Amino acid sequence: MIFAVGDIHGQLNMLEPALTRLTERLRPNDAVIFLGDYIDRGPDSEGVLRRLMRFKKQHPGTMFLRGNHEDLLLRSCDGDKRREELWLLNGGMATLASFGLGGNSNWRKKFPRWALDFLGATHAAVKFTHFHFVHAGVVPYGVDTEVEPDLDARLWIRQPFIRHGDSPGRIVVFGHTPQPDHLPLIHMNKVGLDTGAGQRGGRLSVAGFDDELPRPRSPEFTLFQVCDDGTVTPDEYVRNVLRHLPQNEPTFRFSIPSISSAPIIPTE
């Protein structure tokens, strides 16, 4: 099985019960993919990063993808003033506060190296036989991503990816775009797992995908969610349920080539 965990956004109180439930289900050869946006908005970004590092030590088949919020922090640390302003306005101040650096104009020199090393080692994407995991989405061929040229569109793209229809290639599992009803977005060729953990009333989603079965016609997966009060929903098997299909939107096609075996393939 491959388990994917949606955007966390500093919500340690939601991450802890999610990892407890997930650990009960993990088998030795299972993979766990965290889809990015571990930091910002929530009250304990530092606690989230430390907890994820401990989880990785216990479960070596764990991989961390980079989200746009991690991208903003890393660019800010490199001295990009414009990105720093954007980051601080979009939850970065909560992250600095969690590290005890709130209101500190010299935060770059004091931000802990262990956290930057962890975030700097994150991947842009990971591919299996039938599934492609990425933070924001893949780039459809010949389409304007609506993302600034110096940014990695896989960390930032929204509607130009979501509007694209059926694909004969891998099913794309992503985060980044929160769903207003706090349920996964499900199309024929994609599953969106940002269910608003950084928002009031939001949920943290954990989905399990079986890569050993033939590629399903539409996404099939197990799902549980953690509510903002820390309660965990019962496990659900999601099958032949399509949510948030685009209405009156142009449908384009794009293909992600398949591979013959199922190794983990990090994509930088």
Side-chain angles (χ1 to χ4, degrees):
M1 291 289 289
I2 309 167
F3 291 93
V5 183
D7 303 36
I8 301 166
H9 280 301
Q11 301 288 354
L12 183 61
N13 67 314
M14 302 173 78
L15 177 63
E16 284 286 9
L19 295 185
T20 298
R21 172 74 71 87
L22 178 58
T23 299
E24 295 171 355
R25 283 147 180 74
L26 282 178
R27 300 169 299 180
N29 294 327
D30 287 342
V32 182
I33 312 297
F34 290 86
L35 296 177
D37 280 5
Y38 316 114
I39 62 171
D40 297 349
R41 296 182 180 150
D44 200 353
S45 292
E46 179 186 12
V48 165
L49 296 185
R50 291 187 181 278
R51 183 67 181 92
L52 292 177
M53 292 173 68
R54 294 200 305 272
F55 184 83
K56 169 72 173 179
K57 290 180 179 180
Q58 297 165 344
H59 303 283
T62 299
M63 179 167 289
F64 301 105
L65 303 186
R66 182 173 303 182
N68 62 304
H69 285 259
E70 288 79 47
D71 191 40
L72 284 176
L73 169 56
L74 293 170
R75 289 171 180 270
S76 299
C77 285
D78 286 340
D80 188 329
K81 292 290 188 179
R82 188 164 67 95
R83 306 301 184 197
E84 179 185 4
E85 182 179 359
L86 179 62
W87 176 58
L88 294 175
L89 290 173
N90 283 275
M93 294 182 68
T95 295
L96 291 180
S98 76
F99 283 95
L101 296 173
N104 192 323
S105 60
N106 200 30
W107 66 267
R108 287 184 191 82
K109 293 184 178 180
K110 298 185 177 181
F111 203 87
R113 173 50 54 184
W114 65 263
L116 295 177
D117 289 344
F118 173 82
L119 298 177
T122 51
H123 297 276
V126 58
K127 299 175 185 177
F128 293 79
T129 300
H130 302 302
F131 299 95
H132 182 157
F133 298 86
V134 65
H135 176 65
V138 299
V139 180
Y141 177 75
V143 172
D144 182 4
T145 66
E146 301 178 4
V147 174
E148 295 183 43
D150 65 316
L151 298 176
D152 188 334
R154 295 171 295 178
L155 279 57
W156 289 89
I157 195 170
R158 290 192 192 273
Q159 292 306 317
F161 159 66
I162 293 174
R163 286 198 302 264
H164 276 64
D166 192 17
S167 166
R170 298 181 181 92
I171 292 172
V172 181
V173 182
F174 66 104
H176 184 57
T177 300
Q179 301 307 307
D181 62 359
H182 311 310
L183 294 172
L185 179 149
I186 308 172
H187 290 186
M188 294 292 289
N189 66 326
K190 61 178 71 75
V191 178
L193 291 179
D194 184 351
T195 48
Q199 304 172 351
R200 182 182 296 275
R203 295 185 174 191
L204 176 61
S205 289
V206 181
F209 302 88
D210 192 341
D211 199 48
E212 296 181 359
L213 297 176
R215 198 269 206 202
R217 185 174 181 181
S218 61
E220 299 178 9
F221 56 94
T222 62
L223 174 73
F224 70 84
Q225 296 182 303
V226 181
C227 304
D228 57 1
D229 62 359
T231 60
V232 183
T233 67
D235 285 27
E236 175 186 5
Y237 187 72
V238 180
R239 181 179 182 182
N240 296 327
V241 177
L242 303 180
R243 299 190 177 109
H244 312 308
L245 285 173
Q247 298 294 322
N248 301 319
E249 293 283 1
T251 299
F252 301 89
R253 300 181 68 86
F254 65 96
S255 175
I256 307 170
S258 61
I259 57 176
S260 58
S261 58
I264 297 177
I265 308 174
T267 305
E268 294 298 347

